[in-house]
Amino acid sequence: VPRELDPLHCRIAHRTCGILREAGVPPGMLQKLPSLQASQEVVDFLRADPGVIVNFHAASVNTRLTVQLCLSGCNPDGPDPETGGSYIQAGRERKYYRRGEPIVFDDSFLHSVVVDPHAKEPRWVLSVQIMHPSLDTPEAFADHLSSHPEDEDDPRNEQSAGVAPPAFSEAESKSQSAWVPAGESFFIHHLSTPVILYTALWGPDDDGPAVLIGEAVSEANRPGSRGLGLALPSLAHRSRLWAVNITDGEELSAWRIDARAGGLRRFELPMPEDERERRKLELVRRRHKMRQG
């Protein structure tokens, strides 16, 4: 299911949703990146009544940042010397809520919230959790994840796209890109009916949302291509590429991109017999390795 700002909530808070979309926030959601943790990017209005204390807690991984903007119930002129005022503490850092001043923190650090018991009204913040800036573009995400080892029990390896290529070695990470450049891979389609091509970035737990590439007609209807096929856009290592029937959406074939030197660059429909045999052999090897392990 694609991650998106909730349409129903956006009907109520349409100005907030409009500002976020215009700013490209949350970046991972809008750029269709896979999630790296539960509730990867969340936008919410959070209320805390006077006297509320949220005990220290933390996320399990550090793949996002949290931005909080105090809207009401903020400290008007900084912390009160007698009560301390309302604040959030992450690690050793304590930040006091002031209207219109954003607070940014990594929620993988232990953090807690204290709301001034003498406050006159509840504290409200706009909370926006975003993909970590080092990962928040498709290029940065794929570059980082290209060397991430896969789970040997990953069920995707048993599915239609076949076994995912291995992670880049340290030497490969230094010497080559995690992307097959645009125009260096091709889709060759020999069926009579047009198909729709999609791709999705590989993530350690699941693939990202589908990204439309476009319609592809049969080579018989493209005499100018001289059998070269349709040039594809840049594709990331281990991302999924698949073709569906234009009439009923049935998946016809799927592949995993191997950005390493020697990786497949011609994706044909119907799939050639040697590619089918290669996949079967790869799957047998994987199952044997799992039994040995």
Side-chain angles (χ1 to χ4, degrees):
V1 178
R3 305 194 313 276
E4 61 179 351
L5 295 173
D6 189 291
L8 180 59
H9 289 170
C10 283
R11 291 179 63 184
I12 301 170
H14 57 91
R15 290 184 63 188
T16 301
C17 290
I19 291 170
L20 291 172
R21 290 191 181 108
E22 185 177 347
V25 176
M29 184 184 299
L30 296 179
Q31 299 192 71
K32 299 185 177 181
L33 304 181
S35 292
L36 296 177
Q37 64 186 97
S39 302
Q40 178 76 57
E41 293 180 309
V42 179
V43 179
D44 214 343
F45 292 100
L46 303 179
R47 168 181 170 152
D49 290 328
V52 163
I53 298 176
V54 180
N55 291 326
F56 280 100
H57 60 289
S60 57
V61 293
N62 63 342
T63 61
R64 70 183 179 197
L65 295 179
T66 300
V67 183
Q68 291 192 349
L69 183 68
C70 192
L71 305 174
S72 66
C74 321
N75 302 303
D77 297 308
D80 187 311
E82 294 183 2
T83 65
S86 301
Y87 63 86
I88 184 168
Q89 180 169 336
R92 297 181 179 181
E93 294 288 328
R94 180 177 295 185
K95 297 294 183 181
Y96 289 87
Y97 289 109
R98 296 183 176 86
R99 181 179 173 84
E101 294 185 12
I103 296 173
V104 183
F105 64 96
D106 181 340
D107 71 348
S108 66
F109 287 86
L110 285 169
H111 57 283
S112 69
V113 172
V114 173
V115 179
D116 186 350
H118 301 285
K120 305 296 184 184
E121 59 181 336
R123 183 233 58 187
W124 281 93
V125 298
L126 171 63
S127 178
V128 183
Q129 292 177 310
I130 58 175
M131 186 79 77
H132 196 282
S134 66
L135 302 169
D136 68 358
T137 66
E139 294 75 17
F141 188 95
D143 286 344
H144 179 77
L145 270 294
S146 64
S147 57
H148 189 290
E150 65 170 327
D151 185 347
E152 290 187 357
D153 297 326
D154 191 333
R156 289 175 291 179
N157 287 324
E158 301 279 345
Q159 296 171 2
S160 58
V163 177
F168 277 13
S169 66
E170 184 176 352
E172 287 171 330
S173 297
K174 294 178 180 179
S175 64
Q176 69 177 89
S177 170
W179 292 77
V180 178
E184 291 193 8
S185 58
F186 299 87
F187 177 70
I188 297 92
H189 169 30
H190 298 291
L191 303 182
S192 59
T193 306
V195 301
I196 303 294
L197 290 175
Y198 294 93
T199 186
L201 284 173
W202 182 89
D205 298 316
D206 204 355
D207 296 324
V211 177
L212 173 67
I213 293 178
E215 178 182 343
V217 299
S218 171
E219 284 298 293
N221 296 321
R222 301 180 68 248
S225 76
R226 294 173 296 177
L228 295 177
L230 180 69
L232 296 173
S234 57
L235 297 168
H237 186 59
R238 293 191 289 198
S239 60
R240 190 174 192 265
L241 172 70
W242 70 101
V244 303
N245 191 308
I246 197 171
T247 56
D248 59 13
E250 177 189 2
E251 183 180 297
L252 300 174
S253 195
W255 303 263
R256 285 286 173 189
I257 303 302
D258 187 349
R260 299 173 302 167
L264 186 67
R265 297 293 182 266
R266 287 173 57 88
F267 305 96
E268 297 188 53
L269 191 65
M271 187 178 294
E273 188 61 32
D274 59 345
E275 174 63 12
R276 294 181 184 275
E277 291 301 318
R278 185 195 67 79
R279 288 195 183 191
K280 290 179 183 178
L281 181 60
E282 190 67 36
L283 188 57
V284 169
R285 287 173 178 168
R286 176 181 175 275
R287 289 173 176 171
H288 178 72
K289 182 178 178 181
M290 291 178 65
R291 285 195 296 267
Q292 293 292 336

